[in-house]
Amino acid sequence: AQSVTQLDSQVPVFEEAPVELRCNYSSSVSVYLFWYVQYPNQGLQLLLKYLSGSTLVKGINGFEAEFNKSQTSFHLRKPSVHISDTAEYFCAVSSGNTPLVFGKGTRLSVIA
Amino acid sequence: DAGVIQSPRHEVTEMGQEVTLRCKPISGHDYLFWYRQTMMRGLELLIYFNNNVPIDDSGMPEDRFSAKMPNASFSTLKIQPSEPRDSAVYFCASSSLAGVETQYFGPGTRLLVL
């Protein structure tokens, strides 16, 4: 069985500061990894995904994530956040032809 | 494409009433997922379909919940009878492959059972 742990439930950060949202996964097989973002009163939308190849994945809105197999991690980073990045961020894992398993989410609050 | 469409966007009902949530997936997507989101439990997968056939309904909380997909462009999630603890946001999502391709989420239905 697969599982995802998002280590921080809330992350406050000042505008223009860098941020890292942490995600660790557990799986006995090869994995595909995803980050989704949920803005208030909206559904989730894909930020980025890792399927294979380069372990550094770039997504929308200046976000990137790095797949680290030895540490079973897929942390999300942005060098400089904006007020508009305030949202909830979900890490998810899949082994292929199975539904995504989501973490409990990290609420990012950007402070002006 | 209009994306995943859900209706209604908001539903307020009284305990014991039947509630029906509706979803239209993106055309051409073979997979459809129903999720429930609450503060306490986060995002839970209730059931998913492949080519209109239910594949895994182990996340459906009780017999009060049922889901159908009569054709490739329509699915319903029904709660009968509803209870206050069913209050949550229910999301529908679709994708062309279950765990590899992007899941596209609808805007959700916010359900409040009084």
Side-chain angles (χ1 to χ4, degrees):
Chain A
Q2 298 158 324
S3 65
V4 174
T5 302
Q6 292 186 241
L7 296 159
D8 306 296
S9 59
Q10 296 188 57
V11 174
V13 63
F14 286 105
E15 193 174 17
E16 298 184 5
V19 69
E20 177 180 83
L21 305 183
R22 297 180 293 168
C23 172
N24 285 92
Y25 67 91
S26 172
S27 175
S28 58
V29 297
S30 297
V31 295
Y32 303 106
L33 294 155
F34 304 77
W35 275 100
Y36 281 78
V37 60
Q38 183 180 29
Y39 298 106
N41 299 314
Q42 294 186 26
L44 281 70
Q45 55 183 278
L46 183 72
L47 266 182
L48 50 80
K49 61 184 175 183
Y50 170 79
L51 302 181
S52 65
S54 172
T55 57
L56 183 63
V57 181
K58 293 190 183 298
I60 62 171
N61 301 339
F63 284 93
E64 63 181 33
E66 184 153 22
F67 171 55
N68 188 319
K69 188 174 181 179
S70 62
Q71 297 188 5
T72 60
S73 68
F74 191 56
H75 300 334
L76 181 70
R77 302 185 184 98
K78 186 169 182 177
S80 174
V81 295
H82 303 287
I83 295 289
S84 58
D85 293 323
T86 294
E88 186 137 19
Y89 293 79
F90 293 89
C91 184
V93 63
S94 166
S95 63
N97 200 26
T98 58
L100 300 182
V101 175
F102 285 90
K104 292 193 178 299
T106 297
R107 186 172 299 275
L108 174 64
S109 299
V110 180
I111 306 161
Chain B
D1 200 314
V4 176
I5 299 172
Q6 291 187 249
S7 64
R9 292 294 309 276
H10 303 273
E11 177 83 26
V12 180
T13 190
E14 292 187 346
M15 183 174 63
Q17 297 297 307
E18 178 180 292
V19 174
T20 300
L21 311 181
R22 297 173 177 80
C23 175
K24 176 178 169 55
I26 292 173
S27 177
H29 282 184
D30 294 328
Y31 287 85
L32 183 139
F33 308 84
W34 282 102
Y35 292 90
R36 178 172 68 177
Q37 186 178 38
T38 60
M39 290 292 290
M40 292 297 294
R41 301 173 70 93
L43 194 64
E44 304 173 274
L45 176 65
L46 300 178
I47 185 172
Y48 78 98
F49 296 83
N50 179 22
N51 292 323
N52 313 336
V53 176
I55 302 301
D56 185 354
D57 66 354
S58 60
M60 296 285 264
E62 306 171 25
D63 292 345
R64 297 185 297 106
F65 284 70
S66 62
K68 294 182 180 180
M69 192 164 186
N71 57 62
S73 59
F74 184 65
S75 176
T76 59
L77 178 67
K78 188 174 294 187
I79 309 172
Q80 167 63 18
S82 58
E83 296 183 3
R85 59 190 167 130
D86 301 330
S87 298
V89 182
Y90 291 81
F91 288 104
C92 176
S94 70
S95 73
S96 53
L97 280 176
V100 177
E101 292 300 325
T102 302
Q103 281 190 19
Y104 292 87
F105 282 75
T109 295
R110 190 173 296 272
L111 174 65
L112 178 61
V113 183
L114 301 174

